[in-house]
Amino acid sequence: MAKAAKTKKQHARASLLTKLLVLLLLAGIGWQLFSLQGQVRAAQAEKAALAEKVQEKQLENDALSADIAQGGTQEKMEEIARQELGLVYPGERVFYDTSN
C-alpha cells in the first residue's frame, strides 16, 4: 500500500505542476494578446493619419492638374515667380513681416 500512496502523491504533484504550467502559458498568451491589441490600435491611428495625408496630397495634385490644364497664364507665371523664386518688378518694394 505504501507504493500506491507514493504513486498518488507523485500523480498529485505532476497534476499540480501541469496545472501551473498551463496557467503560466495562458497568462503569457494573454499578455501577448494585450500587447498586440496596443500595436493594432497604434497601427490604426497611423493608418488614419496617412489617409489624411493622402487626401491632402490628392487635393494638391488636383489643383496642380487644373493649373496644367489651364496652361501658363500671365497671372500664374507672376504668382510662381513671386512665391517660389522671390522675384519682384523693378522698382517694386517688398516688406516682410518678421514679428512672428
Side-chain angles (χ1 to χ4, degrees):
M1 276 246 191
K3 191 173 186 179
K6 191 175 184 180
T7 305
K8 274 189 172 184
K9 278 187 177 182
Q10 286 177 345
H11 181 64
R13 282 185 190 164
S15 177
L16 180 63
L17 287 175
T18 303
K19 288 177 185 176
L20 280 173
L21 181 62
V22 169
L23 182 64
L24 286 174
L25 286 173
L26 286 175
I29 291 170
W31 179 255
Q32 287 294 326
L33 287 174
F34 181 74
S35 174
L36 287 175
Q37 187 179 26
Q39 290 176 1
V40 166
R41 273 192 242 115
Q44 287 174 339
E46 184 179 358
K47 178 185 173 186
L50 290 174
E52 186 177 325
K53 283 184 181 181
V54 166
Q55 182 66 27
E56 289 173 6
K57 291 298 180 184
Q58 185 62 47
L59 291 174
E60 186 179 327
N61 285 344
D62 291 344
L64 290 172
S65 294
D67 287 345
I68 290 171
Q70 286 179 356
T73 63
Q74 182 67 25
E75 293 83 21
K76 193 64 179 171
M77 297 292 195
E78 288 178 7
E79 180 184 341
I80 291 171
R82 287 178 183 278
Q83 290 179 354
E84 294 184 18
L85 302 175
L87 299 179
V88 295
Y89 285 112
E92 182 179 14
R93 292 186 182 179
V94 178
F95 297 93
Y96 294 103
D97 182 14
T98 59
S99 63
N100 291 338

